[in-house]
Amino acid sequence: MKNTNLIFILSIILSLITVSCRDKYDQDESFQEGSDFRIMNAARKFATSPLNVYKDDKLLLDTFLYGTDSKYYRSAATSNNINIKIKDANNVESSILNFNDSNVNNQNITYFLYSPSATSNTLEYIKTVDDINQPDNNKAKIRLANLASNLTSNVDVYINNNKIIASNIPFKKVTDFITVATTDKITVVYTGTTTIVKAITNAPLTSKGVYTYVLGGTLNSANPLFITQFSNTL
């Protein structure tokens, strides 16, 4: 009889623990299946108008500046609604980009925001699924997002000024990740030439690092070119 009572009590305790864990799972997205996403802002046209980013009608990023990126956010939903807004002189928000995107479990996603032309007042995006698995020791993985809207030609990526690792990259294209040595020097040139588009400075590669280089801006002096290195880590 005592053993029966003990088993009954233990079963109740186990049930309570299970319910408690399930409630925590339901309340905290970090415990749920889903995807991780981040946003990169290369929209030069809106450089003086910081963006507010909403996910499913909830403010995700406030005053999201040009030339910056977010961390990865976990999304347990099967789809996201992303709404990008700006404020006018009266502090009234208006939407400039609104899209829905479906998720697949265990994916890492980047949404690149960019201006489709040097004069456009609209905002567009590119979605990539990111392979952010770390490379071996003394190696790094890199990719280039060409979001510079009025270059005179496509671009190539060189290492050490003598080896092309990605070629003929057009506007609105993001390359796959490429493994390089941490000692390699990365250069972006106009396709078929050795003319540097924009020098890459103060961007060392660390062992097992995963990086995205964003080439943005325009050839106009008012909207100059930039190239920035971002780390892809959760």
Side-chain angles (χ1 to χ4, degrees):
M1 185 68 175
K2 289 183 178 180
N3 289 338
T4 303
N5 289 338
L6 180 60
I7 293 172
F8 178 72
I9 293 171
L10 288 174
S11 66
I12 292 176
I13 294 173
L14 182 60
S15 297
L16 291 173
I17 292 173
T18 303
V19 170
S20 177
C21 290
R22 185 174 66 247
D23 288 344
K24 176 62 176 174
Y25 181 95
D26 292 340
Q27 293 167 14
D28 188 346
E29 286 193 344
S30 66
F31 285 85
Q32 297 188 19
E33 291 185 342
S35 60
D36 295 290
F37 71 93
R38 73 189 305 200
I39 301 174
M40 291 186 175
N41 182 1
R44 185 64 182 86
K45 184 64 178 178
F46 300 96
T48 58
S49 304
L51 308 176
N52 289 345
V53 181
Y54 290 81
K55 175 187 177 293
D56 300 328
D57 295 323
K58 295 180 180 179
L59 182 63
L60 184 71
L61 294 166
D62 184 21
T63 315
F64 187 37
L65 300 176
Y66 167 68
T68 64
D69 67 331
S70 75
K71 67 178 183 179
Y72 279 99
Y73 293 95
R74 168 52 57 111
S75 175
T78 56
S79 65
N80 295 324
N81 173 254
I82 305 295
N83 195 356
I84 315 295
K85 299 182 179 183
I86 58 173
K87 291 182 179 180
D88 63 18
N90 296 317
N91 216 32
V92 176
E93 284 188 328
S94 60
S95 177
I96 55 173
L97 176 65
N98 191 329
F99 63 92
N100 294 298
D101 185 49
S102 59
N103 292 332
V104 175
N105 281 337
N106 301 317
Q107 282 188 338
N108 302 304
I109 296 165
T110 298
Y111 299 117
F112 294 87
L113 307 180
Y114 69 94
S115 304
S117 73
T119 57
S120 174
N121 288 319
T122 59
L123 187 67
E124 295 183 3
Y125 78 99
I126 299 171
K127 172 188 175 179
T128 62
V129 178
D130 307 336
D131 173 13
I132 61 173
N133 293 319
Q134 291 183 326
D136 295 333
N137 284 328
N138 301 315
K139 298 290 185 179
K141 293 199 305 189
I142 67 166
R143 66 176 175 179
L144 176 73
N146 181 4
L147 302 178
S149 60
N150 69 342
L151 297 181
T152 56
S153 76
N154 295 342
V155 299
D156 297 338
V157 179
Y158 270 75
I159 56 173
N160 305 324
N161 297 321
N162 60 12
K163 180 181 179 181
I164 298 176
I165 58 173
S167 62
N168 207 29
I169 306 160
F171 174 52
K172 300 189 291 186
K173 172 70 175 180
V174 182
T175 70
D176 293 332
F177 282 103
I178 304 161
T179 300
V180 298
T182 55
T183 55
D184 285 338
K185 179 183 177 183
I186 313 301
T187 307
V188 179
V189 301
Y190 289 105
T191 292
T193 76
T194 57
T195 303
I196 295 175
V197 177
K198 183 68 177 177
I200 300 174
T201 59
N202 300 320
L205 300 174
T206 60
S207 180
K208 297 188 175 183
V210 182
Y211 301 97
T212 296
Y213 291 96
V214 175
L215 175 63
T218 71
L219 294 176
N220 301 338
S221 59
N223 301 297
L225 290 173
F226 73 89
I227 188 163
T228 304
Q229 180 200 77
F230 297 98
S231 176
N232 287 78
T233 54
L234 289 175

